[in-house]
């Protein structure tokens, strides 16, 4: 076999095994999602190429979580009903699995995943510190989660995978993902990039940052790792995620971008992305 074969090259094999272990909980019997031509989103969709890049999706996923936590209702749902303090990696894995299943798996699996998430949301309700009620199935909260994810995933792909991506393809991505957001109950849903920008701008007055926001952000950006080597890609992904945030979100989180560090973060993340693409090629 040639060196390029993923099964014969030991370096490729190790990288693939590490990535598979990162996104699949073997203890729960999880295995990589099998791509189906009968998926909720077509193999020719823009989403298939955006969601297939591990490094840009990790950066985008972290950026989206940091944005989501700025909404008091989303933050309360995570704070009151999640074990994020002890299993932040598990939360990230579940988000990644939802995206992979609804993008690539057979329609029956994608629809079943959506039903499971909606059922979980049924029990996620309570009160904010000021007494305001929140409900995870609130269409507005779901819309905020949806738009922050889609915008962040797309921005991660543009930065590290396809910087020349056309505006038409960007709009097409939002239109495709609206079908998934709609199935979850989100409303309103952006179907173009400009609509996504307007939705985010319209939600900004409702956003807040407090001690709980800072605690969740700390756990997102400084995940517990079993060893120092394992911590390196996690820290780099966190920095790449911060780099994707708009300036106003950086300010709300008390974060900043450095003219000296930013080129290093982008170069390092691009290097990781290229290594992963090589390993899975």
């Amino acid at each position: 076999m040639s060196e390029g074969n993923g099964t014969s090259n030991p370096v490729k094999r190790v990288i693939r095994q590490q990535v598979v272990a990162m996104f699949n909980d073997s203890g729960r019997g999880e295995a990589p999602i099998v791509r189906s031509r009968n998926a909720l989103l077509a193999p020719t969709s823009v989403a298939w190429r955006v969601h297939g890049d591990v490094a840009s999706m990790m950066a985008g996923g972290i950026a989206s979580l940091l944005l989501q936590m700025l909404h008091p209702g989303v933050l309360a749902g995570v704070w009151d009903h999640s074990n994020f303090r002890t299993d932040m990696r598990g939360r990230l894995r579940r988000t990644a699995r939802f995206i992979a299943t609804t993008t690539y798996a057979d329609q029956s699996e994608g629809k079943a995943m959506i039903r499971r998430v909606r059922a979980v949301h049924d029990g996620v309700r309570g009160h904010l510190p000021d007494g305001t009620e929140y409900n995870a199935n609130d269409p507005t909260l779901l819309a905020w989660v949806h738009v922050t994810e889609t915008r962040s995933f797309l921005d991660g792909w543009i930065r590290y995978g396809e910087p020349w991506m056309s505006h038409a393809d960007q709009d097409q991505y939002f239109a495709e993902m609206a079908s998934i957001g709609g199935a979850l109950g989100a409303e309103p849903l952006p179907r173009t990039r400009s609509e996504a920008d307007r939705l985010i701008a319209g939600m900004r007055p409702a956003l807040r940052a407090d001690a709980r926001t800072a605690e969740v952000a700390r756990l997102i950006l400084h995940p517990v790792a079993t060893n120092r080597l394992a911590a390196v890609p996690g820290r780099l992904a966190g920095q790449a995620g911060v780099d994707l945030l708009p300036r106003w979100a950086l300010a709300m989180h008390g974060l900043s971008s450095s003219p000296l560090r930013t080129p290093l973060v982008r170069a390092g993340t691009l290097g990781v992305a290229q290594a992963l693409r090589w390993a899975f090629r």
Side-chain angles (χ1 to χ4, degrees), residues 33-249:
I33 301 298
V34 177
R35 295 190 176 200
S36 169
R37 299 193 66 81
N38 187 42
L40 291 173
L41 299 174
T44 54
S45 65
V46 177
W48 267 53
R49 73 178 190 259
V50 172
H51 294 169
D53 192 63
V54 176
S56 62
M57 285 293 285
M58 287 180 65
I62 288 171
S64 71
L65 284 176
L66 291 171
L67 285 169
Q68 288 165 23
M69 294 307 111
L70 292 173
H71 194 294
V74 177
L75 173 65
V78 172
W79 190 272
D80 296 340
H81 299 273
S82 169
N83 62 343
F84 72 92
R85 297 174 187 81
T86 57
D87 191 26
M88 180 57 75
R89 180 178 176 181
R91 179 175 177 80
L92 293 168
R93 181 192 289 125
R94 288 188 292 275
T95 299
R97 194 163 190 85
F98 175 84
I99 296 296
T101 302
T102 53
T103 303
Y104 300 113
D106 185 83
Q107 286 191 28
S108 60
E109 296 179 54
K111 291 176 181 177
M113 174 67 81
I114 290 170
R115 288 195 297 270
R116 286 196 295 273
V117 170
R118 288 187 65 106
V120 170
H121 285 172
D122 285 339
V124 179
R125 58 181 67 234
H127 293 83
L128 303 181
D130 65 3
T132 304
E133 291 187 6
Y134 71 84
N135 175 359
N137 274 328
D138 179 344
T140 303
L141 292 186
L142 291 170
W144 176 246
V145 171
H146 176 83
V147 73
T148 52
E149 285 185 349
T150 50
R151 173 67 185 270
S152 298
F153 291 150
L154 183 60
D155 285 351
W157 170 246
I158 290 171
R159 176 158 294 164
Y160 296 110
E162 194 179 349
W164 54 86
M165 190 178 203
S166 69
H167 289 295
D169 276 0
Q170 293 179 45
D171 287 347
Q172 179 63 27
Y173 173 73
F174 284 106
E176 293 166 359
M177 293 304 294
S179 65
I180 306 300
L184 282 169
E187 183 66 36
L189 285 167
R191 289 175 171 79
T192 65
R193 186 175 188 108
S194 61
E195 288 181 4
D197 292 344
R198 287 196 294 271
L199 180 56
I200 290 173
M203 293 289 283
R204 281 186 60 183
L207 306 183
R208 302 285 185 274
D210 57 21
R212 298 195 305 176
T213 316
E215 173 68 8
V216 176
R218 183 185 66 79
L219 291 169
I220 292 171
L221 296 176
H222 303 283
V224 177
T226 54
N227 57 66
R228 290 184 178 181
L229 183 61
V232 173
R235 285 199 301 269
L236 182 59
Q239 293 168 353
V242 169
D243 183 42
L244 289 175
L245 292 176
R247 290 184 180 276
W248 58 262

